[in-house]
Amino acid sequence: MSFLRFLMLLALIVWVGGVIFFPVVAATAFSVLPTTHLAGLVVRRCLWILHWMGLVSGFVFPASPLLYHRLSSSRADVFAAAHLLVGLMLALTLVSQFGIIPRMDALRASVADLGSLPADHPVQLQFNALHLWSVRVEEGVLILGLAAAYLVARQSKAG
């Protein structure tokens, strides 16, 4: 059964680690690539991968202890605080992946080069507002993930 606990922890580690590392990738792309358009494409693809890692992790994290409790015939605490936090992380990731990002993609596709627009252009203003929400959502996922990791670590110490 320790393998199921390992899967639960691995899911959280991968997700939170990816969210921590993502800004490094984004900053590097914008500092190394010749255009903001190319950097935006790289960052967009990395964010897509990060979100799918999160969605898989958001399934594996609660599924592992539920399977453990099912196999051991004990009662699972599906409303444990760490599980609720991961559920919120999953909800935020879904909002970002299927709500915010598609709207940003549509704005990006509506102009030849988003980076060449003046700062006060309506498309640029809308994109910047969505980008701010995207950053806030990822920060929320990170904070929730760190809190969940703390709760899991605390639970490991108690058990």
Side-chain angles (χ1 to χ4, degrees):
M1 298 306 167
S2 63
F3 180 72
L4 292 172
R5 182 145 180 82
F6 164 75
L7 285 180
M8 182 183 84
L9 293 171
L10 181 63
L12 193 56
I13 291 166
V14 166
W15 198 354
V16 172
V19 173
I20 289 171
F21 190 65
F22 177 74
V24 175
V25 172
T28 302
F30 280 99
S31 68
V32 171
L33 293 174
T35 67
T36 57
H37 178 73
L38 286 175
L41 292 175
V42 169
V43 168
R44 170 63 180 97
R45 177 69 176 153
C46 291
L47 187 59
W48 184 87
I49 293 168
L50 174 63
H51 283 165
W52 281 101
M53 287 170 43
L55 295 174
V56 169
S57 295
F59 171 75
V60 170
F61 182 88
S64 297
L66 291 175
L67 181 59
Y68 168 78
H69 290 291
R70 178 90 165 138
L71 293 174
S72 67
S73 300
S74 63
R75 187 170 178 273
D77 186 8
V78 294
F79 296 109
H83 292 271
L84 295 176
L85 292 175
V86 169
L88 289 172
M89 291 170 66
L90 189 56
L92 288 175
T93 299
L94 288 166
V95 165
S96 182
Q97 181 68 21
F98 299 109
I100 297 171
I101 300 302
R103 292 170 56 196
M104 290 174 73
D105 288 345
L107 289 170
R108 191 180 294 115
S110 72
V111 295
D113 183 10
L114 192 63
S116 66
L117 295 177
D120 61 347
H121 191 280
V123 171
Q124 186 68 54
L125 292 172
Q126 289 176 19
F127 185 87
N128 290 347
L130 288 169
H131 179 266
L132 181 60
W133 275 107
S134 175
V135 169
R136 287 176 178 162
V137 165
E138 294 304 323
E139 287 171 347
V141 170
L142 176 60
I143 291 166
L144 292 168
L146 291 172
Y150 172 77
L151 292 174
V152 169
R154 194 176 75 180
Q155 179 186 21
S156 296
K157 186 177 179 183

